[in-house]
Amino acid sequence: MTFFLLLGALIALLWFGMPMFAALFLLPLAVLFFVEGGVPAVGEMVIGKLDGYLLVAIPLFMLMAHIMVRGKVVIDLYNAAFALLRGVRGGVGIATVAACTIFAAISGSSVATALTIGKIAIPQMLRYGMSRTGAFGVVAGGGTLGILIPPSAPMVLYAYVTETSVAALFLAGLIPGLLMALMFATYCFITEGKARVPEDEPVPEAVHVALARAGWSLSLPIFVLGGIYLGVFTATEAAGTGTLYALLIAALIYRTLTWRDLVHGVQEATRTSAMLLLIIAGAAIYGYMLTKLRVPQELTQLVADFGLSRIGFLIAMMLLLFLLGLVLESFSIILLTMPAILPLLDVLEIDKVWYGILLTLSLEMALITPPVALNLVVIKAITGAPLGEINRSILPYMLMLAFGTAMLIAFPDIALWLPRVAGYGG
C-alpha cells in the first residue's frame, strides 16, 4: 500500500500544478525528513544517477529527429508511400500507416510522428474519400508507433534504468511494431474501401521517382539501426553518427535545412533533454526513498499474498501503466515505477526485454486515451475538429493495441525471438 499512497500523493501534487521535477524532489525529501529525521547527500545521489554514458543518446536522437522534421524530408517519405499505394483499396490510409512506420524509425517520438505525418496526410485522406473519423484515427494510432519502432527515446531510458541492452530492446520492438502497423493497415483496407485515388486521375509522380527521392530518408534508420546490430557502434555512438548523417541529408543533399532551423532544433532538443535530466535527478531521490521504506519488499510480499502468477502480475501492471499514462508522460512513468517493480521482475523470472516492450505498448495506448492524450491534442491542433469527434476515432486503435498487448503476453517470442537469434537472449 505504501507505493500506491506515495504514487497518489505525487499525482495529487501534479494535479495542483507542481512541475514533475519539483514534485519528485520535494515529496521524497519531505517523507525522508519525516521518517528518517534527515535527508541524504542529495548532490552525490543526483550526480551518480546522471553520470551515465547511455543518457547522451537521448538528446542526440531527439536532435536527429528535429533535423529530419525541419529539413522537410518527411514530405518525400509520404509521397513515396502515397505513390506506391494510391490505387489500393483504402490506399490513402495504408499510405499514412506506412509513412508513420518509416518516420517512427527516424523520430522515436509518437507526438512528432502524429504531428508531422498528420499535417500532410489528413488533407490527402479527406480529399480522396476517407471518413473524418477514419483519417483522425489512423494518424493517432499510427503516431503511437513512434516509441515502439526503434530508435525510441523511452526504450533508451528504460535500458538505462534497468541495465538492459539497448540493441536487444530495439530488436524486440521491431516485430511488434510491424505487427501493429499491419493491423492498422488491414483495418484501413477493410473499413475505408472507398478511399482510393480515381483511376483516371493523372499520376503526379512515378513510383520509382518518388522512391528515389525518398531513398536518402529511408537510408537513415537503416544506417543507425544496422550500425548498432552489426556492432559497428554503440547506441550512443549511433545517435551521434545518425545526427551527423541526418544533417548531411537535410543540409547538403535536400538543401532544405536552414541555419535558423538547425538552431531551433538544437534549442528544442536541449530544452526537452534538460527537462528529462531534471526528472531523472528527482527520480534518483524518489527511488532512494522507496528503498528506505522497503517498498520493493512490500510489493513482493503483496504479490505472494495474492498468489499472482507471472501472467496475472503482467496483466495487473499493464492496467496500472495504462492508468498512469492517462495523467503522466512515458519518461515519468518509467522512472516512477521501475525502482519498485524491478526486483519483482527478477522474483517472477520475467524477461526485462519482454517487459520493456509490454510497457511501451501500454504507454502507446495511453497516448491516445483521454484526458491527457497528446496525439489527440496534436490532431485537434492540426484540424480544428471537435475533440469529441477525435476521441471517437481512436476506439478501434485502442482495441488493436490492447489485442497486440494480449498477444505479446501470451506469446513472448513475438518480441524475444529476434533478439535471441541475434545473440542477445538466453
Side-chain angles (χ1 to χ4, degrees), residues 153-225:
M155 282 189 189
V156 173
L157 179 61
Y158 176 85
Y160 175 72
V161 172
T162 61
E163 298 182 358
T164 307
S165 166
V166 177
L169 280 167
F170 281 3
L171 277 172
L174 272 176
I175 293 179
L178 294 175
L179 182 62
M180 295 312 307
L182 180 61
M183 286 188 198
F184 296 164
T186 303
Y187 180 76
C188 289
F189 180 84
I190 294 171
T191 61
E192 299 290 344
K194 296 180 180 179
R196 59 166 41 160
V197 180
E199 293 181 3
D200 57 350
E201 181 173 310
V203 180
E205 191 172 48
V207 173
H208 70 278
V209 175
L211 289 173
R213 284 174 55 82
W216 283 102
S217 302
L218 293 170
S219 69
L220 177 60
I222 296 172
F223 173 78
V224 172
L225 299 176

Side-chain angles (χ1 to χ4, degrees), residues 69-403:
V69 170
R70 294 194 168 274
K72 300 177 177 63
V73 296
V74 71
I75 297 173
D76 286 334
L77 286 176
Y78 180 77
N79 288 342
F82 181 72
L84 190 63
L85 299 164
R86 66 197 303 270
V88 178
R89 174 187 170 93
V92 287
I94 298 173
T96 300
V97 175
C100 286
T101 303
I102 297 168
F103 189 70
I106 294 174
S107 70
S109 165
S110 290
V111 175
T113 301
L115 176 63
T116 309
I117 301 297
K119 284 182 178 179
I120 308 166
I122 289 176
Q124 284 281 76
M125 288 188 284
L126 297 179
R127 176 187 173 190
Y128 289 112
M130 198 161 178
S131 66
R132 286 170 61 86
T133 55
F136 300 157
V138 74
V139 171
T144 63
L145 299 173
I147 61 171
L148 182 58
I149 294 178
S152 164
M155 282 189 189
V156 173
L157 179 61
Y158 176 85
Y160 175 72
V161 172
T162 61
E163 298 182 358
T164 307
S165 166
V166 177
L169 280 167
F170 281 3
L171 277 172
L174 272 176
I175 293 179
L178 294 175
L179 182 62
M180 295 312 307
L182 180 61
M183 286 188 198
F184 296 164
T186 303
Y187 180 76
C188 289
F189 180 84
I190 294 171
T191 61
E192 299 290 344
K194 296 180 180 179
R196 59 166 41 160
V197 180
E199 293 181 3
D200 57 350
E201 181 173 310
V203 180
E205 191 172 48
V207 173
H208 70 278
V209 175
L211 289 173
R213 284 174 55 82
W216 283 102
S217 302
L218 293 170
S219 69
L220 177 60
I222 296 172
F223 173 78
V224 172
L225 299 176
I228 294 174
Y229 301 149
L230 294 174
V232 178
F233 33 63
T234 65
T236 305
E237 292 164 349
T241 53
T243 300
L244 291 175
Y245 190 60
L247 191 60
L248 172 70
I249 293 171
L252 300 182
I253 297 175
Y254 284 88
R255 297 186 179 181
T256 52
L257 185 74
T258 65
W259 279 108
R260 183 188 296 271
D261 291 331
L262 180 59
V263 169
H264 194 274
V266 170
Q267 289 174 337
E268 285 295 313
T270 302
R271 187 178 297 113
T272 306
S273 302
M275 175 196 71
L276 174 60
L277 291 174
L278 278 172
I279 293 174
I280 292 174
I285 307 172
Y286 180 85
Y288 177 83
M289 173 194 67
L290 294 181
T291 303
K292 276 292 183 181
L293 296 179
R294 298 181 58 82
V295 169
Q297 293 87 339
E298 180 183 300
L299 287 176
T300 302
Q301 186 60 46
L302 189 65
V303 169
D305 291 342
F306 277 96
L308 285 178
S309 65
R310 185 169 67 165
I311 300 299
F313 170 78
L314 286 173
I315 293 172
M317 280 307 305
M318 294 307 102
L319 291 173
L320 175 62
L321 291 169
F322 172 74
L323 292 174
L324 290 177
L326 299 181
V327 292
L328 299 173
E329 45 78 37
S330 56
F331 292 126
S332 300
I333 293 171
I334 293 170
L335 291 167
L336 289 177
T337 59
M338 290 318 300
I341 300 303
L342 195 55
L344 285 173
L345 299 184
D346 294 329
V347 170
L348 294 172
E349 299 181 348
I350 295 173
D351 189 287
K352 294 176 187 175
V353 173
W354 180 33
Y355 182 81
I357 304 304
L358 287 169
L359 181 150
T360 304
L361 278 167
S362 293
L363 296 180
E364 283 185 325
M365 285 180 37
L367 280 168
I368 57 173
T369 305
V372 187
L374 295 179
N375 283 15
L376 305 189
V377 173
V378 162
I379 293 172
K380 179 172 177 58
I382 294 171
T383 64
L387 200 54
E389 183 182 17
I390 299 172
N391 289 344
R392 289 193 299 273
S393 72
I394 50 85
L395 180 59
Y397 294 89
M398 287 179 59
L399 294 175
M400 283 185 277
L401 285 166
F403 178 74

